Amino acid sequence: MITPPKPADIQHLFSQIVQYDESISPMELDLPNETHDTISLAYGDADPALFPVKPLIAAVDSMLTGNLDITLNYAPAYAGLIELVQERMARLHIPLTRSELMLANGSSQILSLLPQILCDPGDVIIVEGPTFLGAVETFFNCGLTIETIPVREDGMDLDLLESTLIRLTAQGIRAKFIYTIPTFQNPTGSTMPLANRHRLVGLAARFGVIIVEDDAYGDLHFDNPIPPKLIALDPTWVLYVGTFSKILAPGVRMAWACGPAEIIKRLNRFKTEGSNGPFMTRLVAQVSADGWLDKHIAVLNAHYNTKCHAMLNTIAETFPSDVRYNRPLGGFFVYVYLPNDLPVSRLLPAAIANGVSFLPGTTCYADGQGTHEIRLAFSFQSLEKVVEGIRRLGATMHQLRIA
Ligand SMILES: Cc1ncc(COP(=O)(O)O)c(C=O)c1O
């Protein structure tokens, strides 16, 4: 066995960015002892019951009986997948040339490349609060200064965004980008209406700031139509990030970025793992072809809609009446605002003792807010477990009130 060097002896090896002390990350997730009986409503994983196992097996089978050089050797990304993404985006009124589009291993890869090509340590970026912890943790770890703009039921508070941009400009600071999830936001489930979308892209153009539009849940809508994408409203100032994780399977690690060619060119330069692999690109394209993906998305939407409503109905039946919550129109999450006497610090240990867990709101902010907020995912657990989990959580809230 190799004797490891003492941390203090190797500290000088690391870049300034990775010398940060891990304990200061405010987004760290440390759920107390869950057992295998705990119903976790914490994680926004896809529902495994809906993974398209048979179509995937059929596609792999046909790929492995064909020309193996185009699937298993070094080869570029399968052009058919790029065409499929172009076709899907064109339907949303976003026509893309090849130089405006890049594939990646999950949108997480794109989000982690952004600071490399757009920022220097200390640069200011703007994020929603609460937001997707994975993105903000990446930005935080790159030494960026993070300004947080609150999210309301209709998305980012644009009055506050505007005043923040004015303040920064007065200080001689230009924010490098605005990271937003305008549709079925993680974690709040909120969706920005059209008028606000126009105002947001107008602010980006006025202040010369790129918007990063993370549309991870954009296809997962319930009964309502999908609002226009920000990039469809102003392609000049928006970099759009889409993913197959929620509509096919997170494990395929397939996503895309599209937007100004100058940004895509630089993202490509730093994405060095090599063309996303001919195997996975072909697999995703082959499974999704001939309208199959649209039909699959319709199945997902009906399924997630049912689970979301089961969660909302059970919340209405079992939570104390002064607990507020959002009613999402799509996506994976219900976001809950707790009354003063039920902070997460009290609720979480008691909930876990009662066999249910959730994501504390504090993990969704870069600045320690969210002490009275929780995210409940209806995506992963079965319908029965979603209902049972919410019952346990409601009972826990009432118990804490009596105690
Ligand atoms: C808003 C948002 N963006 C991106 C991701 C990561 O997606 P991917 O699997 O494409 O990396 C997630 C995953 O939960 C997410 O919620």
Side-chain angles (χ1 to χ4, degrees):
M1 181 171 154
I2 298 172
T3 312
K6 291 194 196 92
D9 292 343
I10 55 168
Q11 194 64 7
H12 63 282
L13 296 177
F14 299 112
S15 68
Q16 278 182 20
I17 285 173
V18 299
Q19 281 190 13
Y20 90 106
D21 172 1
E22 284 185 28
S23 63
I24 63 175
S25 168
M27 288 84 59
E28 222 137 87
L29 180 55
D30 187 14
L31 290 178
N33 307 320
E34 291 186 9
T35 70
H36 69 279
D37 295 327
T38 308
I39 298 176
S40 175
L41 303 174
Y43 298 104
D45 291 1
D47 191 331
L50 295 178
F51 287 147
V53 176
K54 282 191 184 149
L56 283 169
I57 290 174
V60 169
D61 198 46
S62 84
M63 283 165 53
L64 294 184
T65 45
N67 177 355
L68 294 186
D69 262 341
I70 60 170
T71 46
L72 292 181
N73 224 328
Y74 285 113
Y78 176 53
L81 182 61
I82 291 159
E83 284 156 21
L84 185 128
V85 172
Q86 282 173 319
E87 186 267 319
R88 293 185 71 76
M89 297 302 289
R91 275 199 247 160
L92 300 168
H93 311 288
I94 305 153
L96 296 171
T97 63
R98 183 65 191 90
S99 61
E100 293 165 334
L101 174 64
M102 178 188 102
L103 297 178
N105 295 304
S107 38
S108 307
Q109 184 185 33
I110 300 161
L111 298 175
S112 72
L113 288 170
L114 288 176
Q116 287 186 56
I117 68 146
L118 296 175
C119 305
D120 296 300
D123 274 352
V124 173
I125 60 155
I126 297 177
V127 305
E128 296 167 336
T131 186
F132 169 43
L133 79 144
V136 178
E137 199 153 29
T138 301
F139 305 149
F140 183 86
N141 289 346
C142 292
L144 304 185
T145 304
I146 297 174
E147 290 272 351
T148 301
I149 306 292
V151 176
R152 315 277 178 221
E153 249 180 269
D154 57 358
M156 192 190 277
D157 181 329
L158 296 182
D159 288 338
L160 264 171
L161 174 66
E162 183 167 8
S163 59
T164 301
L165 289 166
I166 291 170
R167 172 174 51 81
L168 290 171
T169 307
Q171 294 169 339
I173 296 168
R174 179 181 283 193
K176 284 300 182 79
F177 61 86
I178 301 167
Y179 172 69
T180 178
I181 311 162
T183 311
F184 316 137
Q185 202 243 12
N186 179 4
T188 61
S190 67
T191 295
M192 186 180 274
L194 182 60
N196 293 32
R197 288 174 189 246
H198 279 294
R199 183 172 170 205
L200 176 57
V201 293
L203 286 172
R206 180 171 137 210
F207 289 91
V209 185
I210 281 288
I211 296 173
V212 177
E213 177 179 22
D214 184 339
D215 200 32
Y217 303 91
D219 279 312
L220 297 177
H221 59 114
F222 300 154
D223 301 321
N224 46 297
I226 307 176
K229 310 293 172 196
L230 298 175
I231 190 173
L233 303 180
D234 185 353
T236 312
W237 290 100
V238 181
L239 181 79
Y240 175 97
V241 183
T243 180
F244 285 92
S245 285
K246 319 292 174 184
I247 53 174
L248 188 57
V252 300
R253 310 306 305 137
M254 195 64 66
W256 67 98
C258 54
E262 285 298 320
I263 296 183
I264 297 295
K265 184 169 80 183
R266 287 168 174 80
L267 282 173
N268 260 318
R269 194 182 302 156
F270 280 84
K271 178 183 165 277
T272 50
E273 102 299 331
S275 87
N276 265 82
F279 186 80
M280 271 304 178
T281 48
R282 200 170 272 269
L283 180 61
V284 171
Q286 208 154 309
V287 168
S288 306
D290 302 325
W292 178 88
L293 187 57
D294 288 324
K295 285 190 212 128
H296 185 59
I297 291 171
V299 172
L300 294 177
N301 285 343
H303 183 82
Y304 287 130
N305 191 0
T306 306
K307 290 208 290 183
C308 177
H309 281 94
M311 179 176 271
L312 290 171
N313 291 341
T314 317
I315 287 175
E317 282 162 22
T318 62
F319 282 15
S321 57
D322 56 346
V323 174
R324 288 189 301 115
Y325 52 94
N326 287 351
R327 303 185 70 86
L329 301 173
F332 278 5
F333 310 110
V334 172
Y335 203 63
V336 175
Y337 301 87
L338 300 167
N340 279 344
D341 63 325
L342 288 178
V344 170
S345 54
R346 276 185 86 203
L347 184 59
L348 186 58
I352 290 185
N354 281 350
V356 60
S357 69
F358 53 77
L359 191 77
T362 41
T363 62
C364 305
Y365 286 90
D367 57 6
Q369 295 182 64
T371 55
H372 288 71
E373 297 171 19
I374 66 176
R375 188 191 77 179
L376 300 170
F378 51 79
S379 52
F380 175 67
Q381 299 288 358
S382 66
L383 182 79
E384 295 70 28
K385 286 202 168 169
V386 165
V387 170
E388 176 56 23
I390 295 296
R391 284 200 181 125
R392 290 181 189 179
L393 190 52
T396 310
M397 291 175 182
H398 289 290
Q399 278 165 16
L400 287 175
R401 282 246 158 112
I402 295 162

